[in-house]
């Protein structure tokens, strides 16, 4: 009774001796209590027992544990780490600033990818770092590297915030300091000194080694 009615939630279609019962499209005859009473909760198998009778054989179903769950699929192999960048040291996500935290001299190339920007920086001894933003990439320098080492100069025309500067056919936008004032490229001595990082989402700083 417990297995058929309580646990399996079946019902008796004909709870009489020899009554017809359909289970999954197969027809069976019902027999309970030798025909004396209908099937009821008093019919508890409880492991069963054997009443010897010639021609009859009893096979007790063994309790079995449910099948073990399948092991999870193996994790995909971990991709190999990227090769080390021998030319740059990654400071982190943010703007490249000078060691004192102030803005350096920067020449920004719009629409330039990181790899291309790194290659451009390697062409110039005066380029000290690369700052990759969302839409542009800047070559970072300071007064000594750009003017003394690189032999470059600023004029009244290009010493302007946002002035266009061209190096080897590539156009850049000039940014000196953070004031936005004209003449800021020459009126201030910029010292990168290894640089520092100013945290800013979407920007990344790579210092040339």
């Amino acid at each position: 009774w417990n297995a058929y009615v309580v646990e399996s939630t079946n019902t008796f279609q004909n709870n009489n001796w020899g009554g017809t019962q359909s289970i999954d499209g197969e027809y069976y005859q019902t027999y309970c209590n030798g025909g004396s009473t209908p099937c009821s909760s008093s019919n508890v198998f409880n492991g069963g027992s054997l009443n010897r009778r010639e021609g009859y054989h009893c096979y007790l179903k063994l309790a079995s544990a449910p099948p073990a769950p399948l092991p999870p699929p193996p994790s995909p192999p971990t991709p190999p780490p990227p090769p080390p960048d021998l030319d740059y040291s990654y400071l982190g996500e943010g703007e490249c600033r000078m060691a004192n935290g102030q803005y350096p001299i920067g020449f920004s190339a719009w629409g330039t990818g990181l790899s291309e920007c790194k290659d451009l920086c390697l062409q110039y001894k005066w380029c000290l770092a690369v700052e990759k933003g969302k839409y542009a990439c800047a070559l970072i320098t300071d007064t000594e590297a750009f003017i003394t080492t690189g032999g470059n100069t600023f004029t009244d025309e290009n010493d302007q915030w946002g002035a266009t500067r061209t190096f080897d056919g590539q156009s850049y936008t000039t940014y000196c300091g953070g004031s936005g004032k004209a003449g800021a490229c020459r009126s201030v001595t910029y010292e990168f000194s290894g640089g520092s990082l100013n945290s800013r989402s979407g920007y990344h700083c790579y210092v040339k080694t």
Side-chain angles (χ1 to χ4, degrees):
W1 183 269
N2 286 339
Y4 186 71
V5 177
V6 178
E7 296 177 8
S8 301
T9 65
N10 295 299
T11 58
F12 282 96
Q13 300 160 16
N14 189 336
N15 194 4
N16 295 305
W17 181 264
T20 301
Q21 187 85 359
S22 175
I23 302 174
D24 294 332
E26 187 75 29
Y27 288 95
Y28 300 84
Q29 287 184 301
T30 305
Y31 300 104
C32 288
N33 303 316
S36 59
T37 58
C39 302
S40 68
S41 59
S42 63
N43 296 112
V44 179
F45 190 66
N46 198 24
S49 62
L50 183 67
N51 181 63
R52 295 186 179 277
R53 184 177 177 183
E54 186 178 354
Y56 285 76
H57 302 272
C58 180
Y59 300 88
L60 184 64
K61 186 178 183 179
L62 297 177
S64 60
L70 296 175
S75 300
T78 303
D85 192 336
L86 302 179
D87 298 312
Y88 292 91
S89 174
Y90 178 55
L91 285 193
E93 185 174 12
E95 300 170 323
C96 294
R97 296 285 185 91
M98 296 187 295
N100 63 6
Q102 299 301 308
Y103 284 99
I105 300 172
F107 298 102
S108 184
W110 294 91
T112 305
L114 177 60
S115 179
E116 181 184 358
C117 196
K118 284 182 174 181
D119 289 342
L120 289 171
C121 184
L122 292 175
Q123 296 179 26
Y124 306 110
K125 291 183 179 180
W126 52 261
C127 183
L128 304 176
V130 164
E131 179 185 277
K132 182 67 179 77
K134 296 179 181 179
Y135 308 108
C137 189
L139 308 186
I140 303 300
T141 187
D142 64 9
T143 301
E144 180 178 358
F146 187 68
I147 296 176
T148 306
T149 303
N152 300 290
T153 60
F154 285 102
T155 64
D156 291 340
E157 182 180 352
N158 60 36
D159 191 355
Q160 304 280 340
W161 181 265
T164 300
R165 191 78 184 249
T166 302
F167 302 110
D168 297 323
Q170 173 72 47
S171 294
Y172 299 85
T173 303
T174 304
Y175 299 104
C176 291
S179 67
K181 295 180 179 180
C185 298
R186 291 176 292 180
S187 62
V188 176
T189 299
Y190 298 91
E191 296 181 11
F192 191 67
S193 300
S196 63
L197 184 71
N198 181 63
S199 180
R200 183 178 179 184
S201 178
Y203 285 74
H204 300 270
C205 181
Y206 303 84
V207 176
K208 188 191 286 184
T209 54

